[in-house]
Amino acid sequence: MRFFGSHNRNKGLFSEGRDIMAYQQAKDEEQKRRREANLEVDTDTHVDLWLLCHPDNDVAIALFNTMLRLTEQLDLDVSHDDVVAWLATAIRCHPSNLVPRGEAITIRDKPTLPADPRGGDWNSGVGITQVCLLMQYLGKCSLNKLTLDERANVLFAVLRIFGDSDEVADSPHAQHFVRHLYTVEATQRTELIDALALIFFQLSNDVATMADAVRTMWKITEDEPLVMRLTVEILMCLCQRSEVVNNLPDFKMGDQMYCKQVKMIILDLTSDAHEQVPELHQKDELSNLVNEVFNLKRST
């Protein structure tokens, strides 16, 4: 089940000209206030305006094409706060719902988009479509401003939005953006894995959702140590055995030896985890995940 499937149902959208004009006026007033207070001014208003419209709206299509042309002409930098805020607007939720607890306070205040009381044809499916288009844009932008922890936060947000790994697999733009986000210098890769693992347990209380998130990351990155590490996080949380993290092998021993030793830890935790999962369906999901992790195969 998608995390935001029910949350976004029947949310309204601002598609009429007067709504866009009102939003732009509020945006201009906010920028004026920030200038007078010597605060950072967000000049990238075209993304905010585009997110207000239905993806099939003529205005939205024109704005989006302009955005893509800009990315081809300029090396556009985006910040962690902007990316999370834009993802949240696209799926129609508050940015704090997309990031781990304790990280929401880092999201810079941006004009929010309330639900339109008149209703409309916005739904979670449209939100997913707009998120994928947004990722097409972000995939062409520079992510150099993002720290490793911020990259992990954005990966977390993407996994929150895409509750089904097939949705990511069906979107080449989503896959490209996640690879773009996950691609760092070789010396930083293990730090990024650890950063994502540290917040991964907050993704969901549902085993199936967590398992789908692991499958999503494998389909996109084909990074076996990452998948092993995230699986251990799921099992540790189910068993309430946080001390296991202190016994994890060092990445310095190489991927092959690391995965071999982590598999032994997974075997040790699996039986305990089964006892902590009451529902048969959840037990099956857990068994399937462990079996898949032990038989990972790269796509050809």
Side-chain angles (χ1 to χ4, degrees), residues 33-213:
R33 183 190 69 79
R34 297 186 73 83
R35 279 194 296 268
E36 292 174 349
N38 293 322
L39 299 174
E40 178 186 355
V41 177
D42 177 15
T43 59
D44 201 9
T45 60
H46 58 282
V47 179
D48 300 302
L49 290 173
W50 167 70
L51 288 169
L52 295 177
C53 305
H54 193 286
D56 294 331
N57 184 286
D58 289 342
V59 175
I61 293 172
L63 282 170
F64 185 71
N65 290 335
T66 300
M67 289 159 51
L68 289 184
R69 284 197 297 272
L70 282 173
T71 60
E72 295 173 355
Q73 299 170 6
L74 305 170
D75 187 18
L76 298 177
D77 278 305
V78 292
S79 69
H80 165 264
D81 295 358
D82 281 333
V83 173
V84 175
W86 291 338
L87 287 170
T89 303
I91 205 67
R92 297 304 195 255
C93 73
H94 192 276
S96 62
N97 293 334
L98 290 182
V99 292
R101 292 186 299 275
E103 298 294 338
I105 58 174
T106 67
I107 305 299
R108 176 165 52 86
D109 286 339
K110 296 175 70 69
T112 56
L113 182 67
D116 187 344
R118 295 167 301 178
D121 56 354
W122 188 274
N123 55 49
S124 58
V126 176
I128 291 293
T129 298
Q130 196 166 49
V131 166
C132 290
L133 288 171
L134 176 61
M135 288 183 179
Q136 182 180 358
Y137 168 75
L138 293 173
K140 297 177 180 291
C141 296
S142 171
L143 303 178
N144 291 334
K145 285 186 177 181
L146 274 63
T147 66
L148 294 178
D149 286 338
E150 290 174 343
R151 286 173 184 261
N153 278 353
V154 177
L155 285 169
F156 184 95
V158 172
L159 293 173
R160 266 274 172 93
I161 292 171
F162 289 94
D164 187 334
S165 56
D166 290 336
E167 289 177 335
V168 180
D170 291 339
S171 172
H173 301 312
Q175 291 188 51
H176 175 74
F177 173 64
V178 173
R179 290 193 187 101
H180 185 38
L181 193 63
Y182 189 72
T183 301
V184 293
E185 295 180 7
T187 55
Q188 296 180 313
R189 169 175 159 260
T190 57
E191 294 179 55
L192 181 55
I193 291 175
D194 283 334
L196 182 57
L198 285 173
I199 58 177
F200 188 66
F201 75 96
Q202 295 190 42
L203 191 66
S204 175
N205 293 323
D206 179 63
V207 175
T209 300
M210 300 287 278
D212 262 338

Side-chain angles (χ1 to χ4, degrees), residues 8-16 18-19 52 54 92 113-123:
N8 289 286
R9 189 172 294 116
N10 297 324
K11 291 288 185 180
L13 79 158
F14 284 13
S15 58
E16 297 187 11
R18 64 176 181 272
D19 295 318
L52 295 177
H54 193 286
R92 297 304 195 255
L113 182 67
D116 187 344
R118 295 167 301 178
D121 56 354
W122 188 274
N123 55 49

